[in-house]
Amino acid sequence: MAHTATKLPACANCHYSFPPDLPNEFCPRCGQQNHELSLSAGHVLEETLEGLFHFDGKVFRTAKLLLFKPGELTKRFLEGKRMPYVPPIRLYVFLSFVFFFLLSLSMGTVSKEPTSRLLKMKSVQEVADSVRANAPESTKFQVYEADSSDSPLTSALNLNFSQAELLTLSKDPTPARLDSAIRSRGAEPTTMRRFALRQTIRSLNASPDEITNKWIRMLPTVMFVLMPLFALLLKGLYRRQHQYYLAHLIFSIHFHSFVFVLFIVNLLLGYLHMSDWFEPVLFFLPAVYFYLALRNNFGQPWLKTLAKVLLMMAAYGLVLSISMIVSALISVFTL
């Protein structure tokens, strides 16, 4: 990025004297940029953006290839033309940061006083009140008839509790009461069963906003893990081309970066209440982009490439769905 600030005859930091016939943009001794201290606000902003994001010609060259020439950025990177463009990891980190920041803003803030989903259900509340009114004052958990289970985690451990029973336990979830509740189901109170029951109670008492925001905070990690998996699937499809895994990983990073750009645009349009027309684009444009990028990088016939796109989308769609479900369950049971 070219600067027009007046140059100093010596470095302001280490006092190195610049030879008159040599470049004097940076100090060769300490590396500090050479300019006078009286700078305009625009120059300071420009320098800040350059320092944080290397906001120079690389950004515009990278954006042009990423958005309008699918696969070309990956192709040039693998050819060794790396200096003119933003490094893949830096590009992905910046775009993912912007996306998840906008997403967290769009979801709103978490309520300071979480409202239990159980307490919102009037019929369950009435049942629970009746249960508590007739229950003896002891730490022993009574077995009540119920036909609804509220937690796949407790169900997997053969601990099927009704919502009314869980609500009763949530009022005083002492270790003794939890153990008594587990024994009422004919099971021994192991560490895993105690954990499952305790986390079920916590998740049911959490507000939807709390669960959603915790899930959103997990998504960057999930997506960062999915990129290498995407590259691994891609390497499996093109194993006969004998390319290194790194080549497929760079392709994966650039593809996900493009998808993040689409979602960022969608979120920005949502703030303006103009996203209705753009949302259908999110369903087919990534697939079209992926097809064109594969053709550009691997050069196989269009029909063969199309078949691989469909196979890849099906496989990755399954992996993505499982990952979202698992991350949602983790966010619920780690409250």
Side-chain angles (χ1 to χ4, degrees), residues 206-232:
S207 68
D209 283 343
E210 282 184 300
I211 297 174
T212 301
N213 278 271
K214 186 173 181 61
W215 181 62
I216 290 175
R217 288 195 297 271
M218 290 185 60
L219 284 182
T221 303
V222 174
M223 294 306 301
F224 198 79
V225 171
L226 284 176
M227 276 198 312
L229 293 178
F230 185 93
L232 190 61

Side-chain angles (χ1 to χ4, degrees), residues 233-243 248 308:
L233 293 173
L234 192 62
K235 181 172 175 58
L237 285 178
Y238 288 95
R239 63 184 183 277
R240 293 184 180 179
Q241 295 209 1
H242 305 293
Q243 286 193 350
H248 300 289
K308 291 188 175 183

Side-chain angles (χ1 to χ4, degrees), residues 4-22:
T4 59
T6 303
K7 301 296 187 295
L8 298 173
C11 176
N13 180 51
C14 67
H15 307 294
Y16 171 82
S17 296
F18 295 101
D21 298 330
L22 295 178

Side-chain angles (χ1 to χ4, degrees), residues 15-49:
H15 307 294
Y16 171 82
S17 296
F18 295 101
D21 298 330
L22 295 178
N24 61 353
E25 181 68 27
F26 295 91
C27 175
R29 180 183 295 172
C30 68
Q32 179 171 285
Q33 191 170 11
N34 179 30
H35 55 62
E36 62 182 3
L37 300 180
S38 55
L39 302 174
S40 65
H43 183 91
V44 173
L45 177 61
E46 181 185 22
E47 192 174 72
T48 302
L49 289 175

Side-chain angles (χ1 to χ4, degrees), residues 32-102:
Q32 179 171 285
Q33 191 170 11
N34 179 30
H35 55 62
E36 62 182 3
L37 300 180
S38 55
L39 302 174
S40 65
H43 183 91
V44 173
L45 177 61
E46 181 185 22
E47 192 174 72
T48 302
L49 289 175
E50 181 181 3
L52 290 176
F53 308 118
H54 286 252
F55 198 82
D56 51 17
K58 290 185 177 183
V59 172
F60 301 104
R61 286 191 293 268
T62 302
K64 180 180 178 180
L65 294 182
L66 180 69
L67 298 179
F68 304 111
K69 294 186 177 181
E72 185 64 24
L73 189 60
T74 303
K75 189 175 181 180
R76 294 192 184 185
F77 185 89
L78 297 177
E79 289 174 352
K81 302 174 183 178
R82 303 170 188 176
M83 194 63 186
Y85 309 105
V86 178
I89 293 295
R90 184 180 298 161
L91 176 67
Y92 173 83
V93 169
F94 175 69
L95 290 175
S96 63
F97 170 79
V98 174
F99 168 68
F100 287 113
F101 176 73
L102 293 176

Side-chain angles (χ1 to χ4, degrees), residues 48-285:
T48 302
L49 289 175
E50 181 181 3
L52 290 176
F53 308 118
H54 286 252
F55 198 82
D56 51 17
K58 290 185 177 183
V59 172
F60 301 104
R61 286 191 293 268
T62 302
K64 180 180 178 180
L65 294 182
L66 180 69
L67 298 179
F68 304 111
K69 294 186 177 181
E72 185 64 24
L73 189 60
T74 303
K75 189 175 181 180
R76 294 192 184 185
F77 185 89
L78 297 177
E79 289 174 352
K81 302 174 183 178
R82 303 170 188 176
M83 194 63 186
Y85 309 105
V86 178
I89 293 295
R90 184 180 298 161
L91 176 67
Y92 173 83
V93 169
F94 175 69
L95 290 175
S96 63
F97 170 79
V98 174
F99 168 68
F100 287 113
F101 176 73
L102 293 176
L103 181 62
S104 63
L105 291 181
S106 67
M107 299 303 296
T109 57
V110 181
S111 174
K112 293 183 179 180
E113 295 182 0
T115 304
S116 170
R117 289 190 289 120
L118 293 179
L119 295 177
K120 290 181 179 180
M121 304 175 64
K122 184 177 179 180
S123 60
V124 174
Q125 179 69 63
E126 292 174 349
V127 172
D129 290 340
S130 175
V131 167
R132 289 197 302 272
N134 296 294
E137 295 294 333
S138 67
T139 58
K140 181 179 180 181
F141 185 86
Q142 303 298 315
V143 180
Y144 304 109
E145 292 296 327
D147 55 7
S148 63
S149 174
D150 238 11
S151 169
L153 183 56
T154 52
S155 297
L157 297 173
N158 295 320
L159 301 175
N160 295 308
F161 294 99
S162 70
Q163 293 174 336
E165 291 171 317
L166 292 172
L167 179 59
T168 303
L169 274 174
S170 68
K171 300 301 180 181
D172 185 26
T174 61
R177 297 196 74 224
L178 294 178
D179 289 351
S180 179
I182 294 171
R183 289 192 181 95
S184 71
R185 293 299 183 265
E188 286 298 316
T190 61
T191 301
M192 179 60 70
R193 291 191 176 103
R194 292 191 193 99
F195 172 79
L197 185 54
R198 186 180 297 108
Q199 292 304 120
T200 298
I201 294 171
R202 289 179 180 176
S203 65
L204 292 175
N205 282 322
S207 68
D209 283 343
E210 282 184 300
I211 297 174
T212 301
N213 278 271
K214 186 173 181 61
W215 181 62
I216 290 175
R217 288 195 297 271
M218 290 185 60
L219 284 182
T221 303
V222 174
M223 294 306 301
F224 198 79
V225 171
L226 284 176
M227 276 198 312
L229 293 178
F230 185 93
L232 190 61
L233 293 173
L234 192 62
K235 181 172 175 58
L237 285 178
Y238 288 95
R239 63 184 183 277
R240 293 184 180 179
Q241 295 209 1
H242 305 293
Q243 286 193 350
Y244 288 110
Y245 173 76
L246 180 61
H248 300 289
L249 182 60
I250 298 300
F251 184 99
S252 175
I253 293 173
H254 285 151
F255 174 71
H256 283 84
S257 297
F258 173 78
V259 173
F260 274 131
V261 171
L262 293 183
F263 280 101
I264 289 171
V265 172
N266 185 61
L267 287 174
L268 293 176
L269 291 175
Y271 283 113
L272 301 176
H273 305 287
M274 299 170 54
S275 61
D276 291 343
W277 68 270
F278 189 77
E279 288 179 354
V281 176
L282 298 177
F283 290 96
F284 68 87
L285 189 55

